[in-house]
Structures are given as C-alpha cells and as structure tokens.
Amino acid sequence: MRNVRLKTFLLMIWFGALVLALGWVIGYLFGNVSLWMTIALVMALVQIWASYWYSDKIVLTMTGTRLVDPNESVEAQMLYNIVEELSIAAGLPMPKVGIMETMEPNAFATGRDPDHAVVVATRGILKILNRDELAGVIAHELSHIKHRDILLTSMAATMALMISYLANLSWRMMFWGGFGDSDDRGRNPIIALIGLLLIFLAPLAATLIRLAVSREREFMADAGSAQITRNPEALASALEKLELYGKQMPKSALAKTNPAFAELFIVNHLKGDWMTNLFSTHPPTQERIRRLRSMTAY
C-alpha cells in the first residue's frame, strides 16, 4: 500500500515536470515563456486532480464502456454474479460492472480505490470463455483492485494521453507558426534543438509513464487470481484462448482505443514491431501461462 502511494506521488511529480518542460519549450519557441509555463502548470494541476478523482470516468468514456444492470441480459447477469461471488471471496466491496461493446475478448479494472472500482469485460470475452475461465479473468482484475494499483494504472493512462496530445499540439504549432520573428525565439540554436528533441521525445516519455507500473504487477495479479479462485488453470486456459485469438486477428479491434490505455487490459491488444514489444506494459503471455501452471492449487 505504501509502495503504491509512493509510486503514485512520483508519477505526479514526473508528469508535472514533463508538462512544465513542454510549456517552457512552447514558450521559448513561440514567445512569452512565463505565460506558457503558467498555462502548463495550471494544465498539469488540473490533469492530476482529474486523474485522481475521475480517472475511472475518463477511462470508461474513452473506451466506450457502459455500466450494466444485471437484469438486462443473461450475459450481464452471469458477469455480475461472478464479480459478486469473487468480490466476497477476495474480501472486497462489490465494484461496479461494465461491458465494453467490442467482440475482441479482453477485460480491465479501473478506479481510485476498492470503494470506487469498476470491473469491465468486453462483449467478446463473454462469448469465448466458459464460466471458470471468465472467473479466472475477473479474479485477476479484482486482484489489481485489492493490490490498489488500479489508481496508478488509470492515472498513468490518462496522463500519458495528455502528454501525447501536448506533444502533437506542439508539432502542429511549429508547422503552423514556425519560429516567428521575435528576438526571444530561436536565439540560441542549441536550446532550440533541445526543445525540438523534447517535443519529439515526449511520446516516449509518455510511454515511460505507462511503464511506471512494473510488468511484475501482472504476475502478481495472476497469482492473486489463483489464490481467489483456487484454480490457476482457469486463468491459464483463459490466457491461452486470448493469446490464440490475438494471433488470428490481422489487426486489433481495440486499435481505435488510444494506446495509452493498453496497460489496463488483461492482455496487450496492440501489435507492433520489436520496439513496440520492448516497451509493452505486459509480460509475455506464454510466461504468464507457464507460471500459472507451475502453481499448486491453493
């Protein structure tokens, strides 16, 4: 718990420093550094505040997730019952339950603490997994909630999204307005070059923000799922199906969802080259399956 709080605090500091750096770059290149630094500071503080208190709503909106009534359909009833049963087993308050309307099988949890958590399953995962496998997946997400790392991942996702937008805005402003004619702009070519590099590298910094939550958390959540369900094979079998589905897909249906949210899902739905895999927020699925099957039943 203390470690999570420390990581969240450090994430806020890193994010604020990066936004202020971008504000300085924009001000240096286009004039009026103090104004742009003030704007950047206000934006950083507002984003940190919104990420802490409303990260769950931001994530649900950006992923197109809707909260469900357990009586609306057989699938919703099954999902709700599984979440309720496993929440009791895990000693957690009942979280809200949502369904993301996509046929790609996946799931995630979000929220700032166990009392304000949401567990989400896609329509696709409800179709391809049996009840035990779905329970393994839901228990994995509840383990994230129990370990209190959902706030960190949700904040990292929303902050990375803002960094990416700011970097994109900076590039657009540069192409639209150039360096201008002010004596205060571009006077030192070395500083100007550093500024350009910062704008160029900002998306990479956003990725590093997402990686602030170690890949080890996925292994911990897998182990937590096995402990809650007393059935490591359930999650292992579910991960096998999700991995097989991912290999058969020419392109992820969730690619329309901003990559900043990739680390929220139980499996990484984004495909890419070796560089993408290097900065993946998830460990290899096969390694997760191997570890689960090496466990004895609790």
Side-chain angles (χ1 to χ4, degrees):
M1 176 67 176
R2 188 173 299 174
N3 186 43
V4 173
R5 287 177 174 173
L6 177 61
K7 284 187 176 182
T8 303
F9 176 75
L10 292 177
L11 175 65
M12 292 178 180
I13 297 298
W14 169 247
F15 170 78
L18 189 55
V19 172
L20 285 174
L22 284 173
W24 176 85
V25 169
I26 294 174
Y28 180 81
L29 296 179
F30 301 98
N32 206 335
V33 172
S34 60
L35 173 62
W36 281 103
M37 288 285 285
T38 302
I39 292 174
L41 177 61
V42 172
M43 290 178 66
L45 293 176
V46 170
Q47 180 65 25
I48 289 172
W49 175 81
S51 295
Y52 182 85
W53 292 103
Y54 300 106
S55 58
D56 56 337
K57 294 180 175 58
I58 295 172
V59 170
L60 295 182
T61 299
M62 295 298 294
T63 57
T65 296
R66 65 180 183 83
L67 300 180
V68 297
D69 184 322
N71 299 316
E72 69 180 56
S73 67
V74 174
E75 287 182 338
Q77 181 70 64
M78 178 183 68
L79 176 61
Y80 191 92
N81 288 344
I82 291 174
V83 174
E84 186 175 40
E85 292 169 9
L86 294 176
S87 296
I88 294 172
L92 291 169
M94 177 66 183
K96 296 178 182 178
V97 180
I99 293 179
M100 184 176 175
E101 295 295 343
T102 173
M103 292 310 296
E104 180 174 343
N106 228 315
F108 68 91
T110 185
R112 70 177 182 270
D113 56 44
D115 293 317
H116 302 86
V118 186
V119 174
V120 178
T122 65
R123 185 69 65 182
I125 206 170
L126 299 177
K127 296 289 187 183
I128 72 168
L129 299 186
N130 62 39
R131 197 181 194 281
D132 286 345
E133 292 166 341
L134 184 59
V137 169
I138 297 303
H140 171 99
E141 300 306 333
L142 291 175
S143 183
H144 279 312
I145 295 173
K146 191 171 186 176
H147 294 154
R148 293 178 177 265
D149 57 19
I150 54 171
L151 172 63
L152 189 56
T153 54
S154 298
M155 289 186 68
T158 55
M159 289 177 178
L161 183 65
M162 181 177 178
I163 291 295
S164 298
Y165 283 159
L166 281 176
N168 184 51
L169 175 63
S170 299
W171 276 113
R172 291 178 181 273
M173 289 179 64
M174 187 174 300
F175 284 118
W176 288 340
F179 288 94
D181 297 323
S182 171
D183 291 339
D184 295 330
R185 287 178 256 178
R187 177 178 294 174
N188 189 325
I190 295 179
I191 296 180
L193 179 60
I194 292 174
L196 291 174
L197 287 174
L198 180 59
I199 294 175
F200 180 75
L201 295 175
L204 177 59
T207 299
L208 294 177
I209 285 178
R210 289 160 50 207
L211 291 174
V213 185
S214 170
R215 294 184 183 188
E216 193 64 26
R217 76 183 180 87
E218 292 300 325
F219 291 128
M220 292 176 59
D222 288 345
S225 172
Q227 186 174 23
I228 293 170
T229 62
R230 303 294 196 272
N231 184 9
E233 178 58 30
L235 180 56
S237 178
L239 290 175
E240 270 189 335
K241 286 186 178 180
L242 298 179
E243 179 76 357
L244 179 62
Y245 184 92
K247 289 180 179 178
Q248 293 174 343
M249 291 182 58
K251 187 177 181 180
S252 171
L254 291 179
K256 294 180 181 178
T257 302
N258 194 287
F261 297 112
E263 73 271 19
L264 294 176
F265 292 88
I266 189 169
V267 293
N268 192 346
H269 55 263
L270 299 178
K271 295 181 178 180
D273 54 19
W274 67 271
M275 182 64 74
T276 302
N277 295 330
L278 177 65
F279 289 102
S280 172
T281 53
H282 290 64
T285 304
Q286 289 302 324
E287 175 62 17
R288 296 170 65 186
I289 294 171
R290 186 194 67 77
R291 292 194 184 194
L292 283 164
R293 286 186 169 151
S294 68
M295 296 178 185
T296 56
Y298 286 89

